[in-house]
Amino acid sequence: MKLKIINPNTTQSMTDKIGQCARAVAAPATRISAVSPRMGPASIESHYDEALSVPGVLEEILAGERDGVDAYVIACFGDPGLHAARELARGPVLGIAEAAMHAASLIGSSFSVVTTLARTCNMAWHLAERYGMKRFCRNVHACDLSVLELERPGSDARRIIAERCRLALAQDRSECIVLGCAGMADLCEEITDIIGAPVIDGVTAAVKMTEALVSIRLGTSKRGDWARPLPKPYAGMLAPFSLG
Amino acid sequence: MKLKIINPNTTQSMTDKIGQCARAVAAPATRISAVSPRMGPASIESHYDEALSVPGVLEEILAGERDGVDAYVIACFGDPGLHAARELARGPVLGIAEAAMHAASLIGSSFSVVTTLARTCNMAWHLAERYGMKRFCRNVHACDLSVLELERPGSDARRIIAERCRLALAQDRSECIVLGCAGMADLCEEITDIIGAPVIDGVTAAVKMTEALVSIRLGTSKRGDWARPLPKPYAGMLAPFSLG
Amino acid sequence: MKLKIINPNTTQSMTDKIGQCARAVAAPATRISAVSPRMGPASIESHYDEALSVPGVLEEILAGERDGVDAYVIACFGDPGLHAARELARGPVLGIAEAAMHAASLIGSSFSVVTTLARTCNMAWHLAERYGMKRFCRNVHACDLSVLELERPGSDARRIIAERCRLALAQDRSECIVLGCAGMADLCEEITDIIGAPVIDGVTAAVKMTEALVSIRLGTSKRGDWARPLPKPYAGMLAPFSLG
Amino acid sequence: MKLKIINPNTTQSMTDKIGQCARAVAAPATRISAVSPRMGPASIESHYDEALSVPGVLEEILAGERDGVDAYVIACFGDPGLHAARELARGPVLGIAEAAMHAASLIGSSFSVVTTLARTCNMAWHLAERYGMKRFCRNVHACDLSVLELERPGSDARRIIAERCRLALAQDRSECIVLGCAGMADLCEEITDIIGAPVIDGVTAAVKMTEALVSIRLGTSKRGDWARPLPKPYAGMLAPFSLG
Amino acid sequence: MKLKIINPNTTQSMTDKIGQCARAVAAPATRISAVSPRMGPASIESHYDEALSVPGVLEEILAGERDGVDAYVIACFGDPGLHAARELARGPVLGIAEAAMHAASLIGSSFSVVTTLARTCNMAWHLAERYGMKRFCRNVHACDLSVLELERPGSDARRIIAERCRLALAQDRSECIVLGCAGMADLCEEITDIIGAPVIDGVTAAVKMTEALVSIRLGTSKRGDWARPLPKPYAGMLAPFSLG
Amino acid sequence: MKLKIINPNTTQSMTDKIGQCARAVAAPATRISAVSPRMGPASIESHYDEALSVPGVLEEILAGERDGVDAYVIACFGDPGLHAARELARGPVLGIAEAAMHAASLIGSSFSVVTTLARTCNMAWHLAERYGMKRFCRNVHACDLSVLELERPGSDARRIIAERCRLALAQDRSECIVLGCAGMADLCEEITDIIGAPVIDGVTAAVKMTEALVSIRLGTSKRGDWARPLPKPYAGMLAPFSLG
């Protein structure tokens, strides 16, 4: 199967890291492509960034459908454009927050999220509600690290995040940790070892869950909410998005 | 005060109608401008349309902030881009679904929403939840009318919508009607007369509520969730959206 | 329009203050009358006080309907008698807790309530639930001040409340403050300046919201829950309340 | 123990019926008194009636406390004045809606409420929520009978209610019936026989539950929400309610 | 009436204590039998223990039905086997967590649970949700005491539990305490005196509530969820459980 | 990896069918064993059956742990013994209701469950709530077929179920179907074709999801709720279950 992972921001080093983590866990028959959109923000740390990452994500989904992609992963913890992407895709589309929270609820009766900036905590809560996972989410913790700090060589991010995970587990009396940023994907194993409790990275969780869905022939339902959008004219610089 | 109403779709006749309805209820000191974005879909009937209407909405908010606009109304029942817009604006920003549902909950202990296409019903439910209004929303009814059918001279839309409102009220045992599309703004009075129960149009409700907030000096809180986005580079055709 | 504000307690100095705050924000065409009932408690700090404030509130609504009042505000943070009042009134009736919480949810993604005595916190939570605002309410904080302490010249209340607001904002990571007592109406501006975040007073919020509803011709729905009460005999000293 | 049952309306025939039903199930050592207040509505069919029944209920509670009453039942399905009554009483105070819903949830995994007028259905839902019983309540059905019709000799009410119970059970796939009016107390046994499923009358349920609480020495907690009201002046015709 | 109390664990000293507490509050006409199952764990401190206590509980219910038992109490705070037991019984079956939480919600507007081991806190939360009592439950506190420590002569358990109750009340600002283990039944009175607030023991609460239900002729509804199980073959060592 | 599927009932033909469906979708490296317990009911159609299937399930988990099994699937739509099983297992344990509902929520914004007997519908609702999936579950439909009717050669079950799925989709306006019985696993593909919408069978969904979890090294968290049970004596015929 062809699995396309879209990092909704335009930072190539993060896209590369995401691709590596994905390939490390993918089934032999899964061909992974990991891409950044041609347009949009270098990192996603606000509703504004998130909203403006969506056109680039959708452009990649449209291209993917032309290329016969079987499933998609949207690799940003805000799951930007998820519902719109599902309208376009025949196969499954998963967000990494969605995949991570689902996985967490299957191996622990509660989880804590550890994310980057405090201002994104509310978005995580909103997603937890939307996915039905609010009852399992004990709290959302910020590390006060920017997304791109995770990409900076020599950064102290690794140590700060591990420490925050340890504290979250203790304070929340929770049973596992959900990493709240695609840029943390490469830290999952190391932090698991440090804190001695399961740590879930959404990138790998989403890769395996989309493989699972495809292998039992489940794609996005085309009834109701996620049916293909109706064709209509689009104006201005977004004219190319018209589905014709 | 300067109040800017953004119709997130690019259909000028609808923008004109929205502007007229708004001006008819605005306070004497309120200067209304009603605009369509320079880019995006002719109508919004899917998550895809909605997502791609947001860049145009945000461009108008950015322009509004430069022009000293005091408050904004986003005039599409999906309230596209609401949270991102709030990050940019100093004054209040209201969506018409939000304003209509809040108003409805103040004058009836339950309401029914009557909207255009069935595929948008789920979005209305999601907004009702997000705004805390789910407990008041008895049901969301579709008329199986496209948004642009409301703009077609000679259309039967008026009669169909009035009839659906009447049925909704009876079936749901609800106490008032929320019109689920900005394009229905001009029907509010007529349908009120036909069904003999309060009918709420979000455009006029949002105009008056933003006036109310401004007059008691309330703007969007800049703490936490809706603080101004951090500056960062934007790539490709969205580069102009970089806040610098 | 004629707007009648009912302070459900019998303390005239508080009624005067409420009237002043209301007039300071009302539209030029709005004629404000602010009254205390002829009967009931000097302040409302328990379910008992609240229940016994209601006959006086309803007497004022009945008088208001005879006088052609267009809308009512019930100016006590417990919103006593709100639903009964709505049964009597043709126009809208708003409680100040209701108005303040709705307004807060439009300008911040969460709020904290700061009120007088700890024993009233539960009532605030119950109202938040009833209005659909529980999801936005981070916490309810008491100042351990009696209601009438707010009226005492030379009281330290002002300083204590401001400090409690500051703490609430920090502890709850909330985005704005809702003042939990009509007697705090005159502190709104000052506390806004001190804490540097939006502070919502329900009196002014309710005045502007009722004006908004009336200006778009929305009154209380007379279908279902808030239809006019059926006539029937009333006994004893409440006989005058019989609607005949 | 002394158990005082307060029928919040002033219709003596209903009070007598309630007293009889209560005595038929009370323990030998329980001395039942059933009273109507000296003031208030002849029946309770609106928020207005309900609000104005409360002073009379509270007067009876105050008298009961002076007389050494051990527990109280408020015998109207809206449970008027329950929280204020609890502030005054040392012993337990139960509403009949509260008692009936609790009992129903212990013997069936869901229940249907059958009540008098449609306009009171919403109140029943609100109480179900307040008591945590909403998850068990499948629906609330009205018989379109006024409360006093239940008292009219030769009325067809008995037949109509039994039929409505039968339908409710079938439509809702529920497991038992809660009778939604104190005036239906004497029908409980007969309807149980007709429909072949448990029928719960709140009057008898509340009598037995208050007996149960008293026998294990549980009274209303005087911490927090239901602590005794603070003394303060009361004005006008309600001056006698001042707790001094 | 015949009331059978089943202590789901096999520790006879605890069964004896439970029986004593039950008899101390039972009505004169109630004949109490208190039993332990013939099989299962010595104490219940995990989902595993709980699941394996159920066959023994059900064997006792089956025996009870043959003996004409009128009602049952399942005396472990996890309420193991409650729904299965209800399918077998004609009369009411109550769990002690269920009875205690219901009683607590009638005398306080919130409660705190104090239980034995931290690992059982989640089960208490789940039961609170299932019974509709989550909204009243402020928190669940563990004492880090094993169940059997409560049975050890000379244990310090009594002091530790009382202290935990005192702290819970203060931290949670709750209004009463629910004891979270049948083995604490004999401490109820003493702790009530120490902390000066109502303390609810589920054993005595359940005894009185089942008496209440039986006296108004309410048994488990045999419609729907708790109808008698269909007969079918059972294999292996559980073959005797086949209902034939 | 070694994946053990436990059919909690003792009907071998169903176990064989479940094994076949599982093997048809498993990864090449997955070794599937499908077993029935040595004890318990021939089918599970009540809380009683469910409770008594659990000892046999747990015996199989204990054996599995000795055999180095990496993950488990509990293949009955009531997910019996899930939490107890998780306490015993190092690897993940999934119920088929859990897996199916999670999968459904990833490919449709709502689902309908189609199950066997009406009396089991409530259990499905309860699981949906427990897993956070209630918001996606539009309704639970019964076919009035016993579980073993699905095993009877020549049965009309296939046709009846397909028709019920078709109706459910239309009535509920839902987007996919969850099959509510392990015995329906072999019908999934056929019904998908008939109704033209995604149909989810929990057996195959659970197989792929457990594979997914294991491949990213996620097992059941041993902190808190699902830590290994404490050792203690077990009495009577359950003595062998003592963990020693």
Side-chain angles (χ1 to χ4, degrees), chain B residues 204-228:
Chain B
T204 50
V207 165
K208 298 311 290 183
M209 283 201 179
T210 46
E211 285 183 349
L213 294 170
V214 169
S215 70
I216 50 174
R217 274 177 288 189
L218 291 176
T220 299
S221 176
K222 290 291 133 184
R223 287 175 54 89
D225 209 30
W226 298 328
R228 185 159 178 89

Side-chain angles (χ1 to χ4, degrees), chain D residues 81-93:
Chain D
L82 181 61
H83 295 100
R86 281 180 175 156
E87 290 176 333
L88 301 176
R90 288 161 298 108
V93 186

